[in-house]
């Protein structure tokens, strides 16, 4: 096998050459290859190149430099003007602080890389993590928030030259490239969102970088297996890894690259002259570059996450008990007796992903039995404590006697420590999962019946093969209701508001031993009669933690459905974004505060949205003409439409449609990655329609577009750089009532 | 030879990346045309007698239909109790017969059919189908008549399935397989023996497929009388489908996709049979748009018109509609009790959603709330659900004009005086107890209200969908109370305030004016005595509204409520469970006799159909992959059938199945029935594909014509007999008989669960718990 592998690689260069040669022959670009050379010769032949010629020749260097300089200026200017915690800085600043204090936290919104970078910026700024980042509060003296914001703005600014190179790589003419770059540079919403301690500038950076790498990789398609081809393949993989590690929204741009790869492979698959070994090599290269590599980057971000967060913190409860026991400063597992006996006071943790602690409180079910609620809850409080008691048939618990240990197949009762009631289930449908039985707390030490009896079925034990004992942290067990024969389960279904959105606990009739939501383990354990031990010496493996955290994030994210009872002033709906129907106030609108308003450049938004429609018409038009036998498009033209036009449109759909379908709270900034693809489409369209027009028409239209973009950008500049004083003086920008940058 | 067909296709695909899948279809379907031509060449050599007679088809069809009626009608009077959703649809039929207005999320056609049935047998609709298990005998309901309607439609569905296969030119065994999978399916039987809408739905769906196939077969005689007939009938069937349930939309997608592909081929400049001129193409396009979109929509509206025309009396559906709509119904409370409100009247205001009264009492807001925010310490304004004199508010004009008898009108500014404490309602820029974003509501003394707080006590009455200057009426006038200076709407929610407000509801100012939860109405005018002349009930005329407005309002309300159907049901299931038949629905049980109806498909038939779907997808994928590598394993005619005819059935299955994955509402097994029907069609077609091979002679003729060596003969469609002339059908027949026998066995085994008779012993129940089906009486 090794031999053939090597042979394939060794012969790879030859094959690559052969392919290239054939392709060259197929699409008559001999002229293309020689043209630059010829031009170059012509140019060198001219003795004294004029100043304009020099500029023209060095445009590839000057233009991005100038655009970058402008980007840094617009993103950095007066960045520290507002000394208060603005909008979601409250979130991400706080997470940054957690990294600096190395406290374990849990956040549903985003994967760790972006917040790690925020933490890094805090570290570089010499911040110690002590500030609470409460919304609207003034930053303390010692916290160099300006630097932290600059760090974020850097990512936003770098998007501008990358947009330049992307447009260039997509074969747009120079003025169109400039237009695209200008539209990204002079985008008020991009500017504003990049100037604060938020993840959006990094997300934008990741999206733009992935698109750039993809475009670069695409233009290397005829140089398969050359170093540069590999470079851009792996760069694409790296940026995919980066962007998905920032926010899972990165998966959408990943899907775009995935679609491209499938199309590319399908095309190669159809080329019967391509040797099968080379086809396999193409396939493997993409699997490595676009799947394995990004996944490694994603894993790495979690590895760093776990490596940094070694102290106990607010997010402990989301993780497995064993994981918690290994955090510094945790109560879990410390000095707990190893084995559980009757009379032990314990907390019981669900072992499913994102599982909480078995909990009860005095509030009752509003329907069903109307007995006391039993839920699963992630926060640690005294209502999570339960006592192990013998069942009603056997000898009563005697505090004086020798401790009796509990093991597999023992039938026990669980008594809620705060209310003294028994864990109970009966033939009443559970409140949300109607197919299951309701679980409640009922009776007391004396009042009760057989329906308080639960049988322990040990599933696994990380510490020992001996099943005659239930051990703290390491034993996983199920609780089977003796009378109904059902299993205690907490399946990540949230109760309505009357249950405080805690997790519903039910008794399920399905006997599925591998359903981890029916698995429980002892987390905290106190029993004065037993000697303290150290059950936390077993480590939970990294992959298990990684999976656990990821599934916990996914499942909690689903709970973010909009609450009809809750009115959210800031939220907006998907249809409002492309038409720039609303903006967003990022802070309080008091006269004494520097105010920022999240709103885009109207031309960019309206223009690009219209562009998407125009593109649809364009495609239908050419398709119909093609079916009617018009041969007006060359193969290069079709390629140009597909790669510079269609792919950005697909990118736009991929970044936009999920928010249409998703039933969660959405905000204006969710549209920003999609907007970038709409801008690319717009650039393509302008280029497409103007490329064969007279120079005069071209110049005048480009001039008008450029001037309008810049003009509007400057017109709306105050909303990005901060509005000081009374908001009434900014009334001139309020074109519509829904643009609430001014109360007037 | 084989390679030559593949290569041009490959190159077509390569040229156009975007529409690659379409191109495939395109490439193949142009083959079809050539195919037809080639067929007629071959057929000439077949004895003509065989082509004309299809007596065997007719005989089998007769038997299948007879069996269908037998299976649907056998024991239809059992059980003589209300079963499952008969609660709803029986009730709606009664409402139609009583002409009382009701509200339902489904469009009216299916329910109108039931009402028609009831009307035919002279039933008056006195019984309202309140609970599952209510006796029909005791309540004297002609339930057999009701049930026979879906049973007839269900039985005819089997015949339609048979006809679809026949019309599509499949062999007799293939027709038999497809029809028997539906004929002997316990889910189809169970669902069509009860007063439910699905029989109508599935029947209409099957008819739309049949009509479209008929229409498509006439494509060589466009705009002929027959061509128009089947086009319009397709549209009508589609319309019945969507007018029964909105999932009928999926049939539009199925037919629509086929039409788009067809139009695309018509547009082709290289079309076999000559290119169409653009005006001709325009005619084709317009005819289809008219027949398949405009006409169905008109039918759809027509059923609503019938709906409104029948339901003229006020009923349980009133509350779902706006007051204007309710005023179009006779005997309506709104009409009877609405009184115009004058200035200086004392009124009680009630919140529409939570039914709480606007209330105030001398207690004050506490200075500091639990979360540390401070209040104005003003007098509390709360929501209180019971009648109380503290709910009385007097309407004062903004200009203090003391003239009496002046009507309050829409958009006028008013002040509200709390009678008991003699204070004026006020809102201001202080956060409410629970919502930092919402404004606090409190009251001010008269002097303050006339003095420096004057502006803050002004409220605008904004009548919901009211006209300017409209009179403000009690009961019927739903309105929002907008605080004039700050433009917030008076709003409340159900979370009770703490003890300091006696657990009453919080009233606050909502900055979002649009939500329907801001709506209030005036319940009564306590200042008017019982015998006040203004209370006198004038004989009011029932108002009328334009049809389109009524329809539009009802439509919006239906969609909104349809989306609200998200609560869980013990027997709800997920789409992924359906093809595997993992779960059924318990319809009805009777403890004494241990009888039960458990809605479940015939697992054997069901699994055969589902596995064939997977095989079909596998064959298509394998074919695509091998074509891509230049290997052509199929003769062109098999491929054409596989992609066009069987592909159409598969498309019908996919479009009737996958959309359920994105639906948020609760779903049940019966949602899969239309898709199951399509899967039965695919099964029949694929069995024929597997067990028969095309003749070599034909392929040779085809290639010759394709290469342009032989002349093209007249076009006509081939029957299966012509296609398989001289070929052994033994394999197909064996397969058909095996499938029929297996399916029959499955049907017979699960029969007691479908017909609710006879009762089963524990052991018998346990033997039927195949995939752990949650049957009753298992112990």
């Amino acid at each position: 096998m090794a031999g053939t592998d090597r042979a394939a690689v060794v012969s790879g260069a030859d094959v690559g050459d052969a392919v290239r040669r054939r392709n060259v022959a197929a699409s008559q670009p001999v002229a293309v290859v020689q043209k630059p050379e010829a031009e170059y010769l012509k140019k060198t032949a001219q003795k004294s190149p004029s100043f304009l010629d020099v500029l023209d020749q060095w445009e590839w260097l000057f233009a991005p430099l100038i655009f970058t300089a402008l980007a840094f200026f617009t993103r950095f200017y007066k960045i520290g003007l507002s000394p208060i915690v603005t909008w979601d800085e409250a979130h991400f600043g706080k997470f940054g602080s957690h990294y600096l204090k190395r406290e374990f936290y849990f956040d549903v919104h985003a994967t760790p890389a972006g917040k790690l970078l925020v933490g890094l910026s805090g570290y570089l700024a010499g911040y110690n993590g002590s500030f609470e980042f409460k919304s609207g509060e003034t930053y303390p003296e010692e916290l160099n928030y300006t630097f932290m914001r600059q760090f974020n703005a850097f990512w936003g600014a770098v998007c501008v030259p990358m947009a330049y190179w992307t447009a260039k790589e997509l074969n747009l003419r120079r003025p169109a490239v400039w237009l695209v770059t200008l539209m990204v540079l002079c985008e008020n919403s991009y500017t504003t969102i990049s100037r604060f301690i938020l993840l959006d500038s990094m997300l934008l950076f990741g999206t733009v970088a992935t698109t750039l790498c993809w475009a670069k990789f695409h233009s290397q398609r005829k140089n398969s297996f050359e170093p540069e081809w590999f470079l851009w393949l792996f760069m694409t993989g790296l940026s995919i890894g980066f962007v998905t590690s920032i926010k899972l929204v990165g998966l959408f741009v990943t899907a775009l690259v995935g679609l491209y790869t499938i199309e590319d492979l399908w095309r190669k698959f159809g080329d019967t002259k391509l040797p099968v070994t080379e086809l396999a090599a193409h396939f493997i290269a993409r699997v490595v570059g676009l799947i394995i590599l990004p996944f490694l980057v994603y894993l790495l971000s979690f590895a760093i996450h776990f490596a940094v967060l070694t102290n106990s913190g607010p997010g402990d409860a989301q993780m497995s008990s064993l994981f918690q026991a290994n955090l510094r400063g945790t109560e879990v597992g410390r000095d707990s007796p190893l084995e559980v006996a009757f009379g032990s006071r314990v907390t019981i943790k669900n072992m499913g992903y994102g599982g909480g602690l078995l909990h009860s409180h005095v509030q009752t079910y509003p329907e069903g039995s109307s007995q006391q609620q039993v839920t699963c809850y992630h926060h640690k409080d005294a209502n999570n404590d339960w006592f192990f008691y013998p069942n009603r048939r056997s000898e009563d618990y005697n505090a004086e006697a020798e401790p009796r240990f509990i093991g597999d197949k023992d039938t026990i009762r669980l008594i809620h420590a705060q209310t003294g009631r028994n864990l109970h289930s009966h033939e009443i449908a559970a409140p949300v999962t109607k197919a299951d039985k309701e679980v409640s707390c009922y009776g007391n030490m004396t009042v009760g019946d057989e329906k308080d009896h639960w049988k322990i079925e040990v599933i696994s034990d990380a510490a020992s093969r001996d099943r005659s004992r239930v051990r703290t942290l390491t034993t996983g067990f199920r609780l089977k209701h003796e009378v109904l024969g059902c299993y205690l389960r907490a399946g990540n279904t949230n109760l309505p508001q009357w249950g405080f959105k805690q997790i519903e606990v039910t008794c399920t009739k399905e006997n599925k031993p591998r359903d981890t939501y029916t698995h429980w383990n002892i987390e905290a354990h106190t029993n004065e009669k037993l000697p303290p031990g150290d059950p936390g010496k077993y480590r939970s493996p990294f992959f298990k933690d990684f999976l656990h955290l990821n599934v916990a994030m996914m499942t909690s994210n689903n709970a973010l459905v909009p609450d009809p009872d809750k009115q959210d002033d800031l939220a907006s709906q998907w249809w409002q974004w492309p038409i720039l129907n609303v903006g967003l106030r990022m802070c309080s609108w008091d006269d004494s505060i520097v105010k920022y308003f999240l709103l885009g450049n109207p031309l960019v938004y309206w223009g690009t949205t219209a562009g998407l429609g125009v593109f649809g018409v364009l495609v239908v038009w050419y398709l119909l003409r093609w079916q009617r036998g018009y041969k007006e498009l060359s193969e290069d033209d079709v390629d140009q439409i597909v790669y510079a036009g269609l792919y950005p449109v697909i990118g736009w759909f991929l970044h936009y449609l999920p928010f249409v379908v998703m039933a969660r709270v959405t905000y204006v900034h969710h549209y920003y990655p999609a907007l970038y693809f709409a801008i690319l489409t717009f650039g393509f369209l302008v280029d497409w329609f103007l490329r064969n027009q007279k120079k005069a028409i071209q110049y005048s239209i480009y001039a008008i577009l450029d001037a309008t973009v810049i003009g509007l950008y400057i017109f709306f500049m105050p909303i990005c750089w901060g509005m000081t004083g009374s908001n009434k003086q900014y009334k001139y920008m309020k074109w519509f009532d829904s643009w609430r940058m001014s109360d007037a | 030879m084989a390679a030559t067909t593949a290569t041009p296709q490959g190159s077509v695909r390569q040229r156009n990346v975007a529409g690659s899948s379409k191109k495939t279809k395109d490439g193949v379907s142009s083959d079809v045309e050539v195919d037809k031509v080639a067929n007629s060449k071959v057929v000439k050599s077949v004895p003509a007698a065989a082509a004309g007679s299809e007596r065997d088809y007719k005989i089998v069809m007769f038997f299948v239909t007879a069996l269908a009626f037998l299976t649907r009608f056998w024991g239809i009077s059992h059980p003589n109790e209300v079963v499952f959703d008969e609660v709803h649809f029986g009730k709606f039929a009664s409402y139609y017969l009583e002409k009382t207005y009701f509200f339902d999320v489904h469009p009216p056609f299916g329910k109108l059919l039931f009402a028609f049935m009831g009307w035919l047998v002279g039933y008056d609709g006195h019984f309202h189908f309140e609970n599952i298990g209510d006796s029909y005998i005791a309540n004297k309901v002609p339930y057999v008549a009701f049930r026979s309607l879906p049973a007839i439609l269900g039985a005819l569905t089997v015949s339609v399935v048979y006809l679809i296969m026949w019309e599509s030119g499949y062999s007799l065994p293939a027709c038999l397989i497809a029809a028997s999978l539906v004929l002997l399916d316990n889910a189809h039987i169970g669902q069509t023996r009860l007063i439910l809408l699905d029989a109508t739905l599935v029947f209409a769906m099957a008819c739309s497929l049949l009509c479209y196939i008929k229409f498509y077969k006439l494509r060589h005689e466009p705009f002929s009388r027959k061509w128009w007939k089947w086009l319009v009938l397709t549209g009508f069937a589609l319309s019945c489908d969507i007018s029964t349930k909105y999932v009928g939309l999926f049939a539009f997608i199925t037919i629509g996709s086929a039409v788009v592909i067809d139009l695309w081929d018509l547009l082709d400049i290289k079309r076999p049979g000559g290119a169409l001129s653009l005006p001709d193409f325009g005619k084709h396009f317009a005819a289809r748009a008219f027949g398949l979109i405009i006409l169905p929509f008109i039918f759809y509206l027509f059923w609503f018109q019938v709906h409104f025309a029948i339901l003229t009396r006020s009923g349980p559906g009133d509350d779902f509609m706006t007051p204007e709509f309710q005023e179009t119904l006779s005997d309506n409370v709104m009409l009877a009790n609405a009184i115009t409100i004058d200035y200086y009247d004392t009124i009680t205001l009630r919140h529409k959603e939570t039914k709480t009264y606007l209330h105030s009492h001398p207690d004050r807001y506490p200075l500091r709330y639990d979360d540390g925010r401070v209040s104005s310490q003003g007098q509390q304004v709360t929501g209180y659900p019971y009648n109380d004199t503290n709910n009385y508010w007097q309407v004062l004009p903004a200009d203090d004009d003391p003239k009496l008898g002046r009507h309050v009108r829409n958009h006028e500014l008013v002040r509200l005086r709390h009678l008991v404490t003699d204070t004026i309602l006020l809102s201001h820029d202080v956060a409410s107890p629970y919502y930092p974003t919402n404004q606090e509501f409190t009251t001010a003394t008269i002097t303050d209200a006339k003095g420096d707080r004057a502006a803050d006590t002004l409220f605008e009455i904004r009548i919901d969908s009211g006209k300017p200057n409209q009179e403000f009426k009690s009961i019927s006038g739903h309105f929002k109370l907008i605080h004039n200076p700050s433009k917030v709407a008076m709003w409340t929610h159900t979370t009770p305030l703490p003890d300091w407000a006696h657990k009453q509801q919080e009233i606050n100012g909502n900055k979002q004016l649009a939500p329907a939860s801001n709506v209030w109405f005036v319940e009564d005018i306590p200042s008017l005595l019982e015998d006040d002349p203004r209370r006198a009930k004038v004989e009011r005329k029932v108002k009328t509204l334009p049809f389109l407005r009524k329809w539009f309002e009802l439509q919006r309300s239906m969609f909104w409520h349809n989306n609200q159907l998200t609560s869980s049901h013990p027997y709800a299931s997920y789409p992924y469970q359906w093809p595997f038949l993992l779960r059924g629905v318990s319809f009805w049980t009777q403890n004494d006799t241990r009888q039960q109806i458990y809605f479940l498909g015939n697992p054997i038939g069901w699994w055969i159909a589902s596995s064939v779907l997977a095989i079909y997808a596998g064959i298509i994928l394998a074919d695509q992959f091998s074509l891509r590598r230049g290997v052509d394993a199929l003769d062109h005619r098999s491929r054409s059938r596989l992609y066009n005819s069987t592909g159409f059935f598969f498309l019908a299955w996919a479009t009737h199945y996958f959309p359920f994955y994105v639906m948020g509402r609760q779903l049940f097994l019966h949602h899969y029935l239309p898709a199951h029907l399509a899967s039965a069609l695919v099964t029949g077609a694929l069995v024929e594909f597997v067990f028969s091979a095309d003749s070599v002679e034909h392929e040779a003729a085809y290639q010759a014509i394709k290469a342009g060596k032989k002349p093209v003969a007249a076009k006509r469609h081939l029957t299966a007999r012509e296609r398989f002339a001289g070929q052994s059908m033994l394999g197909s027949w064996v397969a058909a008989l095996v499938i029929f026998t297996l399916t029959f066995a499955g049907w017979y085994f699960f029969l007691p669960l479908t017909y609710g008779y006879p009762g089963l012993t524990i052991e018998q129940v346990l033997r039927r718990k195949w995939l752990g089906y949650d049957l009753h009486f298992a112990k």
Side-chain angles (χ1 to χ4, degrees), chain B residues 698-710:
Chain B
H698 169 85
E699 182 69 11
Y702 165 75
Q703 295 300 353
I705 289 172
K706 205 164 184 198
K709 285 178 194 156
K710 286 194 180 180

Side-chain angles (χ1 to χ4, degrees), chain B residues 737-748:
Chain B
L737 288 179
V738 168
I739 289 178
F740 186 83
T741 318
L742 283 176
T743 318
F744 184 85
W747 167 77
Y748 186 75

